[in-house]
Each structure stands twice: as structure tokens, then as C-alpha cells.
Amino acid sequence: MNPHPHTLWALAGIFGVLLLATLAVHLIEKRRQLSAPGELSLRIRSWWFMVGLFSAAVLLGPIAATWLLGFISFLALKEYLSLIPTRRSDRRVLFWAYLTIPLQYYWAATGWYGMFIIFIPVYALLLIAARKVLIGETEDFLRSLGTIHWGLMITVFSISHAAYLLALPGDTAPAGGVGLLIYLVLLTELNDVAQYVWGKRFGKRKVVPRVSPNKTWAGLIGGTATTLLLSLACAAFLTPLSLIEAAGAGLIIGITGFLGDVVISAVKRDIGIKDSGSLLPGHGGILDRVDSLTFTAPLFFHYLYYLHY
């Protein structure tokens, strides 16, 4: 499969920004005379790995990109289930939870919208509940069922909407479904970075201090405004959205990206941990990196689907 020129230009732009960020961090750490790589340096190294892996999958085509997103869902679900308290008997149910991942991504890859949209919210819920009943243990039954199914909804169902973008009719968007995926991921991740930078530079008033003390109104407003501008700049290049529709997409991704971040922060605070894992140096775990995507992917997908499909 030959990648669309818009796809190549978009990826080249991402690597260009990453290169500039690498040089800037190198100069900052050189000025500070750090004896070991700082947090920013570790973050940049992880970004090179993540961007490289994502770019390779995108260039290989929709099937490879779908497999990558499915694997991310697997890692996120595995990380989530390793964090939450579970009963010994729940281990007999987790096989069925993991089995939903290839099935859900199959529905996404084939564009079977009817099954895609109800499989986890309806069928997986009923199957897991029935399997748990057959085990015969009722203690903490509701809590256990709720935490497992919520985990499936967040880590599998939500993220799989990003994969479904690849199955949308390719003649509608300038760069096809791949362009739509790049648009979503680019805006979501840069929204995180922009909110972090604006918050560090100007942040004073906290938004939800008891959940995430580092989240400020300056970060939320500045990051969302930055994402809005980026959405307008990239829309005609990667999506079928008009300028007004792109503004709506930018606002959706900016605001709901923040909400996804703080929701996962609330989960971690409830469990009593700072990071969900240590797989990505400088970032934490997979859940720490895809927390915003768990909200932006389904909401952007349905916004786009309603307007153009």
C-alpha cells in the first residue's frame, strides 16, 4: 500500500516538531549541567519510540495500525487489571475479558458498525455477568463486575473507536481513514503537551485540586485554545471537516482530553498510586499515556460519523 502524500507530510511534520523538542531539551539540560538525563529527556526518548512505532504502523496500512491499537488496548487492560483489587475467582473470568479485544477490533476493521457499537456494552457485559454467576461466589459481586466491565469500556471499547476511523470510506477524507487517525492522535497528544506547558508557565488556579493538583485553568484554557488552532490548521489537510466543524472537533478533543486525564487520575488516586506503570520512561504506564484518548476517540468518532458518514 502506497501512503497518501498528506500522510507522509503529516508524519514528517510530527518528526520535525519532535526533533526541535529534542534539541530544545538538550540545550536546557546542557545549561543546567545535569549529570543524568532529566524527566524531559526521558519523555522525549519515549516520544521518539512511540512516534516511530505509530508511524511504522500507519505506513504499513490500516491492518497494521489496527493491530497496533488492539495491542495498546491489551496492554492498557492488562495494566488496569493488575492495579485494581480482584478476587481469586475473578481470574476465571479475565480470559473472557481479554477475548473481547480481538473480536472488538475485528468488528472495527471490517466496519461492522452494528456489532461494533453494542458488543462490549451489551454482549460482553451479559457474558461476563453470567460467567461470574456460574462461579457461585456472591461476595463483592457487584463491585467486581463493575470494575471489570468499566475497564473494558475504557481500555477496549473507547480506544477501538480510533481503529474504526480506518474503516470509514476512504474517498471522503483527503488522506482516508489513516489521515483521520493521525488527526485524532496528533490533536489528543499535543493537547496533553500544550496543557502541560501552559499550566507550568501560567497555571495558578486549580481545576480539580483533590483529583489532580497539577491541572490548572490556565493549562486547560491555553491547551484547548492551542488544540483548536491546530485543528483548524490540519482539518482540510486530513479530514472532511469544514472550518466550523473543525473548531468543534478542536474543542471536543481539548476539553474531553482533559476529562479523560483527570478521570484516570481519580482512579489512580482511589487505588493509591501515582503512575499506572513504568513501561514508558518519563510518562509512566500505558494508561498514563492513553488516558486522554479514552475520551477523545469515541467522542471525535461519533462527531465525525454524525456529520459526514
Side-chain angles (χ1 to χ4, degrees):
M1 176 181 179
N2 294 322
H4 193 279
H6 287 193
T7 299
L8 297 176
W9 279 110
L11 294 178
I14 293 171
F15 276 104
V17 171
L18 191 55
L19 180 60
L20 290 175
T22 303
L23 293 173
V25 169
H26 175 72
L27 292 175
I28 291 171
E29 293 191 346
K30 186 176 181 180
R31 181 178 298 176
R32 293 178 179 175
Q33 296 182 337
L34 297 179
S35 58
E39 182 183 359
L40 284 177
S41 183
L42 292 175
R43 282 175 174 258
I44 290 293
R45 290 181 187 180
S46 292
W47 272 119
W48 276 106
F49 170 75
M50 291 185 288
V51 170
L53 186 62
F54 176 75
S55 299
V58 163
L59 292 175
L60 288 173
I63 295 177
T66 300
W67 273 102
L68 175 62
L69 290 167
F71 184 60
I72 289 172
S73 276
F74 167 76
L75 292 176
L77 179 61
K78 183 174 182 293
E79 195 171 80
Y80 169 80
L81 293 173
S82 71
L83 297 175
I84 64 170
T86 55
R87 306 174 304 173
R88 183 180 299 273
S89 61
D90 289 338
R91 298 172 186 173
R92 305 179 215 174
V93 180
L94 297 186
F95 167 77
W96 301 101
Y98 284 116
L99 186 60
T100 65
I101 299 174
L103 291 173
Q104 178 69 10
Y105 278 87
Y106 174 76
W107 313 136
T110 57
W112 189 351
Y113 183 80
M115 183 60 77
F116 168 83
I117 208 66
I118 68 169
F119 177 63
I120 289 178
V122 178
Y123 295 126
L125 172 66
L126 301 180
L127 173 64
I128 291 173
R131 182 67 186 91
K132 290 177 73 64
V133 164
L134 293 176
I135 293 172
E137 184 175 336
T138 59
E139 184 178 356
D140 287 332
F141 178 87
L142 183 59
R143 179 196 59 77
S144 174
L145 178 62
T147 53
I148 292 175
H149 192 255
W150 189 84
L152 281 177
M153 290 292 293
I154 285 292
T155 63
V156 183
F157 182 68
S158 289
I159 297 176
S160 68
H161 284 78
Y164 201 110
L165 292 172
L166 298 165
L168 293 176
D171 56 349
T172 304
V178 169
L180 297 174
L181 177 62
I182 293 175
Y183 183 81
L184 168 65
V185 174
L186 174 63
L187 262 62
T188 299
E189 299 305 323
L190 285 185
N191 178 62
D192 284 350
V193 174
Q195 292 199 15
Y196 173 81
V197 172
W198 280 94
K200 277 285 188 182
R201 183 67 181 86
F202 300 105
K204 291 181 180 179
R205 294 183 60 189
K206 313 295 184 182
V207 183
V208 279
R210 295 183 61 184
V211 177
S212 185
N214 294 326
K215 299 296 182 183
T216 64
W217 283 105
L220 173 58
I221 295 171
T224 300
T226 302
T227 302
L228 173 60
L229 292 175
L230 185 63
S231 70
L232 294 173
C234 297
F237 197 66
L238 296 171
T239 77
L241 299 173
S242 66
L243 283 180
I244 294 178
E245 293 167 348
L251 289 173
I252 288 172
I253 292 175
I255 295 170
T256 64
F258 168 83
L259 292 174
D261 192 333
V262 295
V263 164
I264 298 301
S265 292
V267 172
K268 292 185 291 185
R269 189 167 290 274
D270 180 36
I271 298 171
I273 59 173
K274 181 180 182 296
D275 295 323
S276 63
S278 57
L279 185 63
L280 301 171
H283 294 270
I286 290 294
L287 273 175
D288 296 311
R289 190 63 272 141
V290 300
D291 49 9
S292 298
L293 193 65
T294 61
F295 269 52
T296 62
L299 293 172
F300 172 72
F301 171 85
H302 289 291
Y303 177 76
L304 181 72
Y305 194 84
Y306 174 78
L307 289 174
H308 290 279
Y309 298 94

